[in-house]
Amino acid sequence: MSLADRKRYEPSEVEPRIAERWLHARINSPAPEGDSRDNYSIAVPPPNVTGALHMGHALNGTVQDALVRFHRARGKNTKWILGTDHAGIATQTQVEKLLVSEGSSREEIGRDEFLKRVWTWRDQYGGTIIEQFKALGASLDYEDERFTFDEAYAQAVLKVFVDLYEDGLIYRDNYMVNWDPGSGSAISDLEVEEREVTDSIYEIAYPLADGDGELIVATVRPETMLGDTAIAVNPADERYTHLIGRTAILPLVGRELPIIADEYVKTDFGTGALKITPGHDPNDFELGRKHGLAEISVIGEDGRMNENAGEFAGQTVTQARAAIVERLAGAVRGVEPHVHTVPFSHRSGERIEPLISLQWFMRMDELAGPAIDVVRDGRVTIHPPSQSRRYVDWLENIRPWCVSRQLWWGHQLPVWYRGEETYVGATEPEGDGWVRDADVLDTWFSSALWPFATLGWPEDDPRLRAFYPTDVLSTARDILFLWVARMVMMGLRFTGDVPFADVYIHSVIQSPDGRRMSKSLGTGIDPMDLITGGPRPPVFKEGGDFPAYGADAVRFGLMAMSSTQDVRFSEEKVAQGQALANKLFNATRFVLMNVAAGAKPRRDPQTIEDRWIASRLLAARADFEARVQEFDFSKAAFGLYDFVYGELCDWYLELIKGRDFDARLSGHLLYVLRETLALAHPLIPFVTEELWDNLPGTDGLLAAHQLSPERGARDEQAEAEIAQAIAIISAVRTWRESAGVKPGEMLQARASGIAGIEALVAKLARLKFTADGAPAVATIPVAGTTIELLTGVDPEEAARKTAAERSRLEGEIKRAAGKLENAGFVAKAPADVVEAERQKLDRLRADLEAL
RNA sequence: GGGCGGUUAGCUCAGCUGGUUAGAGCACCGUGUUUACACCGCGGGUGUCGGGGGUUCGAAUCCCUCACCGCCCACCA
């Protein structure tokens, strides 16, 4: 169907076709040539291999794609590195659920069979999100897809582990960890979230060993008392100083507990006497190590009381708590409700059980220093700047990272044991009797290598030379520590260079009602539903399906929404993007239906409005480029919208209507259109590509088009004159509207000093200028001149209108004059401000005079 | 407990290195002169810039304070 017959832009018809052309043209798969200074690269935050596109991916994908297309058009060899993450716990949990629904379990089928099932699952769902990225228009390098579980990637992971072990940064230790009973694994501090809960606080009497009274301690976890190995009091607490060094008896167990002094104990909380359970409380663990106390575990990794719990062994924590409180009977001296925060697993949602466990840890202090330095000295810039402080604060207080996980789906530790021996190496050790550690690495361990392991590191890969360091890392705030900081640390350690120059932290898009987007709350919005017209989720008041907005509209909308802080989703902004695409489409139709046959794009201004639009195009381009470079995408998007609507369509195309579309005008129009499409392409690639294809004198794909270097200077004179024309036309239109004069009625008018724009004003303001000396029936002072209307005006309406305008001017004059009469203002304000106010007052008075 | 951010039109947000009568999109109201677009054009701002105090010739903008909302960090039993 020819463009002339398509009155409306239909993204659903166009986008799949265009996406297919991009893929076939291989523009996304650059040759690994040159080095990172000539090239532009971004490593996509690898989505969970079996995940689906959510709003965060859509926003982040748009940001990265806009950057990639922007730099590609400006001469860079660009690579957007594609890949997915094996996502240890998340994926394992999904497959386990599947097994349970089949009446089976991972334990039942065993490790090898389970891993096969996960691979099958991956093959089944692994392509979904990649297809969705294609629909969004993301120009990822689809021919070089990586997976954090690829053979080569796995080798890189093992090498890093082995190297860090040999450097003494990775070690095995019995230490307090966050045990997640839900996943049956230790997890890192970052995977823990604090939630507020109401517990009971029990006051329990511990008798003194010498029979001389008792000591009352307060606890919310009586079940852990079985593992108590001391009682601590503050050395300055006069209530207890006489007890320090003496011994108490642990009820139910009979263990002797030394009474120790430590400033850690608060005198004004609880009873001022703290039971110390090094086996099950992080603080007590620290105190225990400090004071050399025994560490007794009474809770096992299954979340049940273990053999050290005596008669309570086998009970769950909750059961044991009740049973112990009951057995203590009279020793319980008080029970109060207590609101406090306790750790929960971010993954499984279960309450964390702190316990001592033999795990692999990574010392972070040595890695953190350089990672702080590169942000401080600007080798890595974090946008917005407020986030770099968070980054530095976290790194300055960093603690060892527990990297081992008791899962099956992940990189198995390259560690073997034989009796007391430990072997760490990339390959299995020689000799018999070695048993490999069953644990796997935290998923974030492998993710931390993403920017270089995807490019072939540690091999001397041409891709690494060409595209590392990458240019930008774009992501959401929530993984600044979990991922970004660790990539910087690992990048510096293993490649000697930063992994990226800029970090862009984008907004989190909330549901329209301000809540977090979530499927279970019904507040989630699937970007694909916006693109193709799926159902509106319950969070929208109105029901029904979204219109098929198309990928360009979604991309524009998300960019328009983006900010330095979190924002609410706004369907209107997506609709605005749809309107922009449609507007460009129709402006192009208009041009193509009118240009002279054989015309080619050529910058060739003949008239003042031609000069004006060429100048405004330069301004729009400079503005867009500045906004993109400072990561201010919403301004970039709105700037583009304003240019297309507010300058190109509303004014320029209206101003040229009626002119002879000769070869010169046709060429100039095609030029303006071509440059506009090229400028807008990074944000709305589909519609611009489609129109480019229909534009005479363009070769190949717009996506592969190199922008011509910016030519020419701004034309101040044309900009000033057309600005005046616009002001006059708008003023006349406003005047007509409020004076009740029909928009189409031709009026006789008179004006002076606007010779250069008189014809343009006459056309769009529906005026017929004359030198007739007839008296004016109405006057409109505007933009340094006065439009006098001679005919077609009801004198009463005109008089009313004039009176209203007079009173407006008088009000402003009064205000300006008052300001200038204020001695303080004249004396203290800067001279140019005062002068501007004077000039304004003069102008207002002249306007009033003209009335 | 500590820290950060927010509160501007009916809605979503700009503006905040102090200086025109505070803006945009959508919604809303009015209206259709035209060689593309009714997913259109043209015209219209509907506001106690969260409350209070202060600095200043001048405050949405700077300072203090209060309120509410959101987020991050944190080892008070």
Side-chain angles (χ1 to χ4, degrees), chain A residues 646-665:
Chain A
E647 300 190 308
L648 180 59
C649 293
D650 288 350
W651 291 106
Y652 183 62
L653 295 184
E654 295 304 320
L655 287 168
I656 61 162
K657 281 180 182 173
R659 270 173 69 184
D660 176 18
F661 281 67
D662 59 12
R664 290 187 64 188
L665 176 58

Side-chain angles (χ1 to χ4, degrees), chain A residues 347-366:
Chain A
R347 279 282 160 217
S348 71
E350 292 203 23
R351 193 163 169 165
I352 292 298
E353 193 59 66
L355 46 84
I356 295 170
S357 176
L358 188 56
Q359 301 283 346
W360 286 88
F361 293 88
M362 188 164 154
R363 242 182 61 213
M364 303 304 288
D365 45 353
E366 194 175 305

